[in-house]
Amino acid sequence: MSFTFIKELPSPEEIKNQYPLSASAAASKKERDQQIRNIITGQDDRFLVIIGPCSADNEEAVCDYISRLARVQEKVTDRLLIIPRIYTNKPRTTGEGYKGIAHQPDPEKKPDLLAGLVAMRKMHMRSIEEFSLPAADEMLYPENWGYVEDLLSYVAIGARSVEDQHHRLTVSGFDVPAGMKNPTSGDYSVMLNSVYAAQHPHHFIYRGYEVETTGNELTHVVLRGAVNKRGVCIPNYHYEDLVRLIEMYDKMDLKYPAAIVDSNHSNSNKQYEEQVRIVKEVMHNRQLSSSIHQIVKGVMIESYIEPGCQSVHEHTYGKSITDPCLGWEESEKLIYAIAEMNR
C-alpha cells in the first residue's frame, strides 16, 4: 500500500474534552467575536490589525509576543482591534521544510501529529485565557478545524488553498470571519468566487459525516499580491487595485464587502521591512477615498520579537524560523501609527 497507517488520532471532541476552554475565557472570546463581526459588517469603525509571527514555532516566545500585543491593545482600543497571528500550520511550496507546530511541536525532531494537535490547542487557549486575545490561524487542513473551532476568532485561507472545493465548503460552516486570499496568479475572480461559494449553504462529506452548512456571511477577501509567469511579484495594495476590487465586488451578490490587505508575501516581495511603508500607504488611501475606507477593514502584518529570520538550528529567542518578520520595536510603532491614521 502507498499509505502506512501509523496510529488513529483522537477526535476533535476527545481533544477538546481533555483540554477545555474555561467558561470565563469562552465568554471573553464570544465578546471579542461580536466586536470583530461588527467591524466586518460596518457597525464598528475600528480597524483590524492581524499581526504576529509567520509561523508559531515556540509557545513561550509566541505568548511573550502576545503579552506585548495585549498591553498595546489597551492603549489603542478605541481605534483598533488586534488579532494575534498564531499560525500553527505552515504551507510549503515544495512540500519540504518545517510545516508548523501542529506537524512538528519541536522543529528539530520528527513529526508527531498527536503532540502537535495538543500543542496547537494549548497555544490558542493561552492567548484567550491569559491575554483575552483570541487569535487567527490559517486553515491549511480543513479536517483540523474541529480541534480549534471554539478558539479561533479569524481564519485565513491561503493563496494555494483558495481554489480548493473542500476549503470553500468547510468555510461555509464557520461562524467567524474567514479571509480568502487571492491566488498566486492574482486573479480577483477566483478570490471573489471563493467568497461567493463560502457565503452560501452546502451539502457535503466532512470527517466521515454527511453535513449541511448555512453559509458564512463574514467571508471576505485578502489581498496578498501576486506572482507573474516570470516569477516577478506584483503588488495589489495600491489605490488603483483597491478601486478595481470595489468595482468587481459591486457586480457580485455578496454580503458585507470587505478586504484585508496582507502587507507581506508578494505585496512586499518578502522584504519584511517594506510592511511599514505598505501599511501606511493603505491607511493613507483610506483617508483619500470613502469607498476604500469602507471596504478595507484591516491589515495583516508578519511580526515577531526579533526582526528577520533564522535557520531552525540557530535558537535566537523570538525570531522566525520561516519567513522574515518585522521586529517588535518597529511593530509597536506601526500599530500606534495605524491607530493615529484610522480617522
Side-chain angles (χ1 to χ4, degrees):
M1 292 179 66
S2 298
F3 285 87
T4 300
F5 290 83
I6 300 170
K7 59 185 174 184
E8 185 175 3
L9 296 172
S11 69
E13 291 71 23
E14 290 172 315
I15 293 288
K16 285 189 286 189
N17 287 336
Q18 290 177 22
Y19 302 94
L21 189 65
S22 71
S24 60
S28 174
K29 179 186 179 298
K30 183 178 180 180
E31 180 181 359
R32 197 74 169 177
D33 287 352
Q34 185 61 52
Q35 293 172 352
I36 297 170
R37 166 182 279 273
N38 290 344
I39 292 172
I40 296 292
T41 59
Q43 299 175 64
D44 188 329
D45 289 333
R46 285 182 293 176
F47 194 70
L48 295 174
V49 178
I50 304 167
I51 184 169
C54 173
S55 59
D57 60 283
N58 178 283
E59 181 177 325
E60 291 308 314
V62 169
C63 289
D64 179 354
Y65 177 87
I66 296 171
S67 73
R68 303 177 189 209
L69 286 181
R71 290 192 291 271
V72 174
Q73 174 66 94
E74 291 178 1
K75 299 176 182 178
V76 298
T77 189
D78 59 327
R79 294 192 180 187
L80 305 180
L81 206 64
I82 295 174
I83 305 175
R85 285 173 51 112
I86 302 181
Y87 279 32
T88 55
N89 296 280
K90 175 64 181 174
R92 310 304 307 198
T93 302
T94 64
E96 295 294 324
Y98 175 64
K99 295 182 176 66
I101 203 167
H103 197 83
Q104 291 171 271
D106 186 330
E108 296 183 275
K109 293 182 179 179
K110 292 181 179 180
D112 185 337
L113 295 180
L114 175 54
L117 291 174
V118 172
M120 172 176 70
R121 184 164 177 85
K122 288 175 69 176
M123 198 184 311
H124 279 293
M125 286 176 62
R126 283 190 66 183
S127 188
I128 307 171
E129 298 274 8
E130 297 180 24
F131 312 111
S132 298
L133 288 179
D137 202 346
E138 179 173 350
M139 189 180 72
L140 187 58
Y141 307 109
E143 295 85 355
N144 287 354
W145 166 246
Y147 293 102
V148 289
E149 63 181 342
D150 59 329
L151 305 177
L152 298 183
S153 284
Y154 187 93
V155 179
I157 305 301
R160 295 164 187 82
S161 302
V162 73
E163 297 185 68
D164 177 65
Q165 185 81 335
H166 198 192
H167 282 80
R168 293 178 174 191
L169 299 187
T170 303
V171 170
S172 74
F174 290 2
D175 58 1
V176 297
M180 315 298 269
K181 292 194 174 186
N182 62 261
T184 54
S185 68
D187 191 327
Y188 279 19
S189 296
V190 168
M191 174 177 63
L192 288 166
N193 286 338
S194 183
V195 173
Y196 185 95
Q199 285 197 358
H200 287 76
H202 295 283
H203 192 134
F204 60 103
I205 297 173
Y206 183 74
R207 291 189 63 90
Y209 288 86
E210 181 179 1
V211 301
E212 284 185 337
T213 60
T214 57
N216 180 1
E217 63 184 8
L218 301 180
T219 310
H220 56 275
V221 306
V222 178
L223 300 177
R224 49 87 72 199
V227 180
N228 69 16
K229 63 182 180 181
R230 295 180 175 83
V232 177
C233 287
I234 309 296
N236 59 10
Y237 61 86
H238 295 305
Y239 187 98
E240 294 79 8
D241 299 304
L242 298 173
V243 169
R244 176 170 169 258
L245 174 66
I246 292 167
E247 292 172 350
M248 293 184 71
Y249 243 127
D250 287 344
K251 295 177 182 178
M252 300 188 70
D253 183 23
L254 295 171
K255 294 182 179 179
Y256 307 122
I260 304 291
V261 176
D262 181 343
S263 62
N264 212 12
H265 297 98
S266 294
N267 268 331
S268 69
N269 195 22
K270 292 192 176 181
Q271 303 300 308
Y272 70 94
E273 293 170 313
E274 290 296 304
Q275 294 183 98
V276 175
R277 177 189 59 78
I278 291 166
V279 168
K280 289 182 178 179
E281 179 178 327
V282 171
M283 299 306 294
H284 177 65
N285 287 335
R286 290 180 83 243
Q287 294 175 342
L288 292 177
S289 165
S290 60
S291 297
I292 291 175
H293 188 280
Q294 184 176 3
I295 200 169
V296 178
K297 305 292 187 179
V299 290
M300 286 184 176
I301 303 165
E302 290 196 314
S303 157
Y304 211 174
I305 296 171
E306 297 295 332
C309 64
Q310 63 181 332
S311 75
V312 169
H313 308 293
E314 288 183 54
H315 303 141
T316 299
Y317 179 80
K319 192 171 187 177
S320 176
I321 61 172
T322 48
D323 289 350
C325 296
L326 205 62
W328 174 251
E329 185 177 337
E330 288 300 316
S331 300
E332 184 177 20
K333 291 178 183 176
L334 180 56
I335 294 171
Y336 290 133
I338 296 169
E340 181 63 25
M341 297 180 76
N342 185 36
R343 298 178 179 176

